[in-house]
């Protein structure tokens, strides 16, 4: 009798779950972010965000819908938009501001961090500041399916009032393309697994995120939709159009690995306390706040970070809670200074009743400045900056952070427009630049600029044209030495053309002035005094 031996068969490994990705696309994100940060009165007015262009001057980045309907669109020079609106009396005058891309990026990352409740893998793109991706692979069942997951996400985002579209597909590129070109606010697009190619076939070619030259080439060939490219041989596309087209098609259909920048969950630095009996004595309350602030400072010190904004929330039931923000000039861990700023604000905003609870949180943090220890330190090196930081903190607490400003230099040829004022707690714009110190015995620019007079100065020049004296405030001031000219002129895109020849002038009495001669008519003007 023949015997048969049955060998055990190893179980086959489970097939990996198909990739599922959700994408949230926020139309006009710079406008949405700016509206969320503005006051209620400003939200009623139309808004224009502009940026500086090397060839065209100030151009529009984004504009409110009512302005777009009146002919103002992104890419239009700001001067043309203002001229267009000047002849249109409809609506309110728009608010014109500089586009702050850094603030847009920070707000988007903060929103992405808040979405970690719904997915452990949240990402944003390096070159796109209006979309967030959340990976859903194997997670939808925990929420009862993808539609209940989307409902919970919408409820989470609803209080902030963001306007967005959302789509779920088998790849990052397809999810973005469907959210951008197929979905509508409040109507999500959920593509069944394995049907991505059919879903993206009707999308416009812009969904491939091609560069302008490639997109124009495809348009000239009469190719308008993604489905027309899917049917063409990949080799022909790479040879006759561009090599990026097949790669973009593979990304869209989930055939290639995609890499996006993951966003780590936000780490909260906070401390809280509650009491059975209300605290009515301010000194007792401050001692409790000092203990909470010290706990937050310990958390920050463990990460080598400092706080630039600390929020203190006091529960005063049945009265309204009291919320105060401590704005700091530099990243700080100085609990004593924090407590002093809190005392300044609580002196003006005393709780209406006893305090039952307190919550302290570091809202904004940044790496602390690291310095090498000195062998023979006198302690005077850091005294002046620390005293300045404390002074600015007191002023901000008393007057508000918008009332305390600093001067920021701009790359502008016209001196009276080469600076702007910004809040001392606002980040320095990348557009600004620091000027190098002058190598001469006195600076190239005066510390104080005078308002430009309407009438030119009365001057006396030598037969060769050298400046000998000028009349100022009823007196003739003889000139001992004169350096120049330094020629300054504005670009043609600025509209009104400005051309000047600046001179540094030393008078007989030792004072030093900054004069310029206007090239248009030869008039002389005094623009500033050197200290």
């Amino acid at each position: 009798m023949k015997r048969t031996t049955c060998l055990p068969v190893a179980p086959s490994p489970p097939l990996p779950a198909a990739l599922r990705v959700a994408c949230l696309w926020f139309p006009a994100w710079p406008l949405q972010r700016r509206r969320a940060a503005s006051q209620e009165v400003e939200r009623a007015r139309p808004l224009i965000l502009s940026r500086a262009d090397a060839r065209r001057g100030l151009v529009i980045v984004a504009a409110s819908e009512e302005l777009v309907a009146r002919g103002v669109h992104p890419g239009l020079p700001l001067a043309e938009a203002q001229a267009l609106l000047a002849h249109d009396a409809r609506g309110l005058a728009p608010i014109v501001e500089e586009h702050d891309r850094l603030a847009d990026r920070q707000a988007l990352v903060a929103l992405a961090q808040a979405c970690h409740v719904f997915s452990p893998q949240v990402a944003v793109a390096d070159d796109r500041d209006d979309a967030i991706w959340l990976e859903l692979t194997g997670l939808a069942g925990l929420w009862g399916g993808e539609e209940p997951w989307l409902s919970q996400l919408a409820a989470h985002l609803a209080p902030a009032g963001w306007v967005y579209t959302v789509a779920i597909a088998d790849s990052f590129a397809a999810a973005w393309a469907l959210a951008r070109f197929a979905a509508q606010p409040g109507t999500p697009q959920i593509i069944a697994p394995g049907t991505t190619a059919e879903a993206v076939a009707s999308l416009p070619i812009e969904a491939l995120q091609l560069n302008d030259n490639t997109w124009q080439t495809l348009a000239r060939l009469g190719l308008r939709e993604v489905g027309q490219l899917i049917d063409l041989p990949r080799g022909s596309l790479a040879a006759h159009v561009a090599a990026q087209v097949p790669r973009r098609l593979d990304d869209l259909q989930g055939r290639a690995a995609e890499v996006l920048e993951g966003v780590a969950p936000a780490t909260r630095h906070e401390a809280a306390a509650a009491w059975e009996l209300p605290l009515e004595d301010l000194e007792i309350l401050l001692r409790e706040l000092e203990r909470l602030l010290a706990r937050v400072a310990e958390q920050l010190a463990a990460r080598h970070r400092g706080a630039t904004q600390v929020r203190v929330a006091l529960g005063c039931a049945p009265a309204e809670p009291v919320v105060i923000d401590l704005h700091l000039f530099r990243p700080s861990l100085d609990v004593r200074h924090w407590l002093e700023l809190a005392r300044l604000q609580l002196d003006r905003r005393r709780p209406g009743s006893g305090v039952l609870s307190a919550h302290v949180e570091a809202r904004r943090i940044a790496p602390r400045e690291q310095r090498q220890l000195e062998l023979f330190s006198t302690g005077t090196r850091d005294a002046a900056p620390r005293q300045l930081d404390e002074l600015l903190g007191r002023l901000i607490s008393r007057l508000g952070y918008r009332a305390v400003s600093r001067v920021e230099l701009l790359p502008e040829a016209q001196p009276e427009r080469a600076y702007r004022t910004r809040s001392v707690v606002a980040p320095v714009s990348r557009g600004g630049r620091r000027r190098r110190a002058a190598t001469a015995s006195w600076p190239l620019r005066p510390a104080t600029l005078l308002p430009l007079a309407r009438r030119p100065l009365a001057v006396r020049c030598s037969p060769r044209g050298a400046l000998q004296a000028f009349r100022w405030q009823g007196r003739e001031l003889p000139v001992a030495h004169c350096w120049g000219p330094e020629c300054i002129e504005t670009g043609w895109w600025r509209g009104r053309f400005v051309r000047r020849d600046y001179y540094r002038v030393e008078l007989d009495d030792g004072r030093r002035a900054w004069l310029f001669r206007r090239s248009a008519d030869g008039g002389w003007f005094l623009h500033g005094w050197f200290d």
Side-chain angles (χ1 to χ4, degrees):
M1 181 176 180
K2 187 175 180 181
R3 301 178 60 183
T4 303
T5 303
C6 296
L7 299 177
V9 179
S12 58
L15 295 175
L19 179 67
R20 297 294 285 170
V21 178
C23 178
L24 280 70
W25 178 69
F26 298 85
W29 173 250
L31 293 176
Q32 290 199 55
R33 191 273 309 170
R34 179 61 186 84
R35 291 293 191 197
S38 61
Q39 300 294 329
E40 190 68 27
V41 178
E42 296 180 350
R43 296 178 186 177
R45 297 179 58 185
L47 178 64
I48 293 178
L49 299 179
S50 64
R51 64 173 178 84
D53 185 84
R55 294 185 301 174
R56 305 174 63 195
L58 294 176
V59 297
I60 295 176
V61 175
S64 302
E65 293 183 1
E66 57 267 38
L67 297 181
V68 174
R70 294 159 64 182
V72 178
H73 56 82
L76 185 71
L78 179 60
E80 294 185 19
Q82 291 174 332
L84 179 65
L85 296 176
H87 296 84
D88 191 347
R90 294 176 295 173
L92 299 173
I95 299 174
V96 180
E97 291 186 0
E98 181 184 5
H99 176 222
D100 192 345
R101 185 178 180 184
L102 178 60
D104 292 346
R105 184 72 176 183
Q106 291 174 341
L108 186 70
V109 170
L111 183 56
Q113 290 174 334
C115 292
H116 267 284
V117 180
F118 300 92
S119 173
Q121 301 294 332
V122 183
V124 296
D126 292 334
D127 57 347
R128 187 168 296 282
D129 295 336
D130 57 2
I132 298 174
W133 286 263
L134 298 91
E135 186 174 344
L136 273 176
T137 306
L139 293 177
L142 301 177
W143 302 81
E146 293 178 345
E147 291 187 4
W149 180 87
L150 284 177
S151 300
Q152 293 289 333
L153 178 63
H156 179 74
L157 298 176
W162 302 118
V163 177
Y164 65 93
T165 59
V166 60
I168 298 179
D170 293 343
S171 68
F172 291 91
W176 175 85
L178 291 166
R180 171 65 179 85
F181 295 100
Q184 297 294 328
T187 307
Q189 288 281 327
I190 303 178
I191 306 305
T195 62
T196 300
E198 295 81 359
V200 301
S202 60
L203 297 180
I205 291 179
E206 291 90 332
L208 293 174
Q209 304 181 63
L210 304 171
N211 58 42
D212 292 340
N213 293 334
T214 305
W215 181 85
Q216 293 173 3
T217 300
L218 294 174
R220 287 195 297 268
L221 294 175
L223 301 173
R224 307 295 182 185
E225 297 181 350
V226 174
Q228 296 174 297
L229 296 176
I230 294 178
D231 298 335
L232 296 178
R234 299 297 177 88
S236 300
L237 288 174
H240 296 90
V241 183
Q244 65 170 328
V245 177
R247 291 198 303 267
R248 295 295 190 186
L249 288 172
D250 290 339
D251 292 340
L252 201 62
Q253 299 178 76
R255 297 179 179 177
E258 300 173 84
V259 179
L260 292 177
E261 178 186 355
V263 177
T267 302
R268 298 175 68 92
H269 306 87
E270 57 186 349
W275 304 279
E276 294 182 1
L277 298 177
L279 302 181
E280 298 181 353
D281 188 272
L282 180 60
E283 295 301 325
I284 297 177
L285 175 60
L286 289 174
R287 284 199 296 269
E288 293 295 327
L289 288 180
E290 183 178 10
R291 181 174 59 85
L292 298 177
L293 291 171
R295 288 168 54 185
V296 173
E298 290 176 0
Q299 298 171 14
L300 292 172
R303 298 187 59 204
H304 306 286
R305 297 291 191 271
T308 58
Q309 180 186 354
V310 179
R311 172 164 293 181
V312 178
L314 304 176
C316 309
E320 291 293 328
V322 175
V323 180
I324 59 177
D325 287 324
L326 313 179
H327 294 278
L328 305 163
F329 183 56
R330 286 191 177 90
S332 168
L333 291 177
D334 190 347
V335 177
R336 178 192 60 81
H337 182 48
W338 296 359
L339 193 65
E340 181 183 358
L341 299 180
R343 180 191 292 271
L344 289 174
Q345 296 204 37
L346 289 176
D347 284 340
R348 296 184 295 111
R349 300 182 57 191
R350 288 292 183 94
S353 59
V355 178
L356 290 172
S357 63
H359 180 266
V360 176
E361 180 184 3
R363 301 278 291 183
R364 294 179 182 174
I365 64 174
R368 296 180 61 202
E369 182 179 2
Q370 303 293 332
R371 289 187 178 181
Q372 185 176 359
L373 296 177
E374 297 181 359
L375 184 59
F376 303 102
S377 177
T378 61
T380 59
R381 175 180 176 181
D382 299 331
R386 184 173 63 253
Q387 292 173 0
L388 176 61
D389 295 347
E390 293 179 357
L391 173 62
L392 291 172
R394 296 189 194 99
L395 292 174
I396 292 170
S397 296
R398 287 288 189 185
L399 307 175
Y401 74 96
R402 294 184 182 274
V404 184
S405 59
R406 56 181 163 85
V407 176
E408 180 179 312
L409 298 179
L410 298 175
E412 171 63 47
Q414 197 169 340
E416 62 268 23
R417 302 182 63 175
Y419 71 94
R420 63 180 171 189
T421 57
R422 301 194 69 177
S423 171
V424 293
V425 296
V428 178
S429 173
R430 295 181 179 180
R433 67 179 183 184
R434 295 184 178 271
R435 298 180 185 268
R436 295 185 301 174
T439 56
S441 59
W442 42 302
L444 292 175
R445 297 288 186 270
T448 304
L449 292 181
L450 300 176
L452 293 179
R454 294 180 178 271
R455 296 183 179 181
L457 293 172
V459 300
R460 177 162 53 86
C461 299
S462 68
R464 293 187 176 183
L467 182 63
Q468 293 181 329
F470 64 91
R471 194 169 187 82
W472 174 250
Q473 294 182 346
R475 297 176 53 195
E476 185 176 87
L477 304 178
V479 174
H481 302 284
C482 183
W483 293 268
E486 177 189 357
C487 301
I488 291 177
E489 64 179 40
T490 58
W492 58 266
W493 57 86
R494 282 274 302 275
R496 182 185 177 189
F497 188 69
V498 176
R499 178 182 293 171
R500 302 169 183 168
D501 294 334
Y502 277 87
Y503 295 84
R504 292 179 295 157
V505 173
E506 183 174 345
L507 306 180
D508 284 346
D509 58 6
R511 289 187 294 169
R512 296 174 295 190
W514 203 39
L515 282 73
F516 71 85
R517 185 177 63 86
R518 192 164 57 191
S519 300
D521 55 7
W524 287 83
F525 297 85
L526 177 64
H527 206 171
W529 292 96
F530 292 92
D531 296 333

